[in-house]
Structure formats: C-alpha cells, structure tokens
Amino acid sequence: MSASLLCLVHCLALPVLLLLLPGAFGLFAQSEAFHYAALALVAPAALAAFWLGYQRHGTAGPAALGTAGVACLAGALLHSPFEDLETILTVTGSLLLIAGHTINWRLRTRAC
C-alpha cells in the first residue's frame, strides 16, 4: 500500500520534485528506467500480498483490484501517443492498488 501511495505522490508531485531536486535524481525520476524499476518492485510485492491475503480470508475482491492496478501501471509504461492517458492510467492504477491493499488489510485483520 505504501509503494502505491508513493507512486501516486511521485506522479502528482513530479513537477515540484524536478524544481527542488535538479540534476541526476531529477533526470532519473523522469526517465522510463525509474518507472520500470518502480513497477519491478511494486508488482511482485503487491501480487504476493494479495495472494497471501486471499489465502487467509478467501475474498478475491482485493486481489482483483490489485491486479487491475498493476495492469494499469504496466499499461502506462506502454508507449502511448497520449501523455494524458499515461498519467490517468498511473493514477488509476495507484488508487486501485491502495484500495485493494486497504480492503485486503481490513479483511486480514478481521480474520484473525
């Protein structure tokens, strides 16, 4: 859930970050390499969390939200001629992951 929230903050605050942190970090945060690295970290961790949650509480809804979120984030990395679509997919994917993790966490704590 934290990684999804950080992704959302990154996407919405990137213009401010680029003004505050010029140089190599700004170039890396704006590059595709950053987005591939972030997805490579977020996707397996998120899918593992949803799988463990499903095994514990047996509800597929959070996993469906999370999988849709990961799919949106992966879709945003595809070369689209529309930059606005990339932003919309990234924000939507982050929000779906946050919602899925929140529901998953609530169901897991209730199952204890």
Side-chain angles (χ1 to χ4, degrees):
M1 187 168 23
S2 298
S4 301
L5 183 60
L6 286 174
C7 181
L8 179 62
V9 169
H10 160 75
C11 294
L12 296 177
L14 183 61
V16 175
L17 287 174
L18 291 176
L19 289 173
L20 297 175
L21 301 171
F25 178 74
L27 292 175
F28 178 68
Q30 192 177 14
S31 73
E32 280 192 50
F34 174 82
H35 292 100
Y36 284 108
L39 184 64
L41 293 172
V42 168
L47 296 175
F50 290 121
W51 175 252
L52 291 172
Y54 175 74
Q55 286 183 322
R56 187 168 190 169
H57 54 67
T59 304
L65 287 172
T67 302
V70 170
C72 285
L73 293 177
L77 285 178
L78 297 175
H79 296 288
S80 171
F82 307 107
E83 189 173 322
D84 291 341
L85 179 61
E86 179 182 335
T87 302
I88 290 168
L89 282 172
T90 301
V91 171
T92 301
S94 296
L95 292 174
L96 286 169
L97 279 169
I98 291 167
H101 281 303
T102 301
I103 295 168
N104 195 39
W105 179 75
R106 288 182 180 166
L107 289 170
R108 286 188 66 169
T109 57
R110 187 184 315 157
C112 291

